[in-house]
Amino acid sequence: LPQLDLRVEAHNLKRFRRDFEGETQIAFPEPLVDLTSREVLVEKFVEGEPMLNFVKKEDEFHRRKDREELASIGLKTVMKMIFLNDFIHADLHPGNMIVDRNKSVRGQPLRIHMIDCGLTVELGERDHVNMVKILGSLIKRDGYAAGKLMVDTAKKCQATELDVELFCRGIDKIVEDDEDNNFLESVGD
């Protein structure tokens, strides 16, 4: 498995660092390739605190405004991975994100360091087009169509017609429940 060869992760880190070069609110640890082997990955230390602190705490250091900013940074990062680079971190969850303030930038904005980059996905043209169609349906608030596209473009689907119908209704309900939050409408703001 490629994820068991830590040289692959070092290569992924180098690519992410190149793809996000110049970004002030997203970063990836620098791998020390000369010290990295199949079994050992060495990278520069990243200082900060776990993303989960911002998810679970509400205090003077973990404000709602910070969570909103981090959500925006994360969304823009994933969109750039999907739409511009076609190279996606495939293990994104709060445990793989460290947050700090970028002290080298005026105002010291929040910055997310993405770690554990061993699993990545490159979609390819067909899957990339499918992803765009699904996201387009979500942005248009047509969850049923997004769900149907997910099923129709799946490599294998052993679901019954009833399973597909319930899945599509479920995606539609998620989109409907989001209506008051306007999350999809603020993408890119």
Side-chain angles (χ1 to χ4, degrees):
L1 291 172
Q3 77 183 76
L4 297 179
D5 184 346
L6 294 173
R7 295 172 297 190
V8 171
E9 184 167 346
H11 172 77
N12 293 346
L13 284 167
K14 285 173 54 178
R15 177 154 176 201
F16 280 125
R17 288 175 59 80
R18 183 198 73 210
D19 289 350
F20 287 88
E21 188 175 4
E23 297 281 342
T24 59
Q25 292 191 285
I26 193 73
F28 296 84
E30 181 181 345
L32 302 177
V33 179
D34 294 341
L35 300 174
T36 296
S37 68
R38 181 176 176 78
E39 297 85 21
V40 178
L41 172 64
V42 180
E43 54 192 44
K44 288 191 176 179
F45 184 74
V46 174
E47 224 171 297
E49 63 178 299
M51 174 69 82
L52 281 173
N53 289 357
F54 288 87
V55 174
K56 294 183 175 184
K57 292 181 180 180
E58 179 76 39
D59 59 30
E60 64 183 297
F61 302 108
H62 309 92
R63 302 167 303 181
R64 178 183 174 92
K65 179 182 169 196
D66 294 333
R67 284 192 295 281
E68 290 171 356
E69 183 179 355
L70 290 168
S72 177
I73 296 166
L75 179 63
K76 288 174 186 172
T77 299
V78 170
M79 292 297 164
K80 184 173 181 177
M81 287 178 185
I82 294 170
F83 293 111
L84 298 180
N85 303 333
D86 190 18
F87 190 67
I88 305 158
H89 189 307
D91 194 18
L92 283 177
H93 58 80
N96 283 342
M97 298 178 205
I98 297 172
V99 179
D100 74 348
R101 292 216 171 258
N102 189 344
K103 294 178 179 153
S104 65
V105 175
R106 187 170 183 238
Q108 299 184 0
L110 289 170
R111 174 174 52 187
I112 301 173
H113 297 268
M114 303 273 184
I115 62 173
D116 195 6
C117 298
L119 292 174
T120 59
V121 173
E122 291 181 83
L123 294 174
E125 188 175 342
R126 192 177 112 236
D127 290 335
H128 192 263
V129 168
N130 293 337
M131 177 72 80
V132 170
K133 287 179 181 178
I134 291 166
L135 291 172
S137 292
L138 291 171
I139 289 168
K140 293 174 187 171
R141 298 199 170 284
D142 190 348
Y144 191 91
K148 188 82 171 96
L149 282 164
M150 289 179 208
V151 171
D152 291 347
T153 60
K155 303 263 188 276
K156 286 185 179 180
C157 181
Q158 298 174 353
T160 66
E161 284 185 41
L162 178 60
D163 292 336
V164 171
E165 179 67 22
L166 293 173
F167 176 77
C168 294
R169 285 187 197 168
I171 299 298
D172 199 44
K173 177 82 170 109
I174 290 169
V175 171
E176 185 181 302
D177 289 348
D178 175 66
E179 192 168 6
D180 293 336
N181 295 323
N182 296 321
F183 174 76
L184 293 172
E185 290 175 11
S186 64
V187 172
D189 287 352

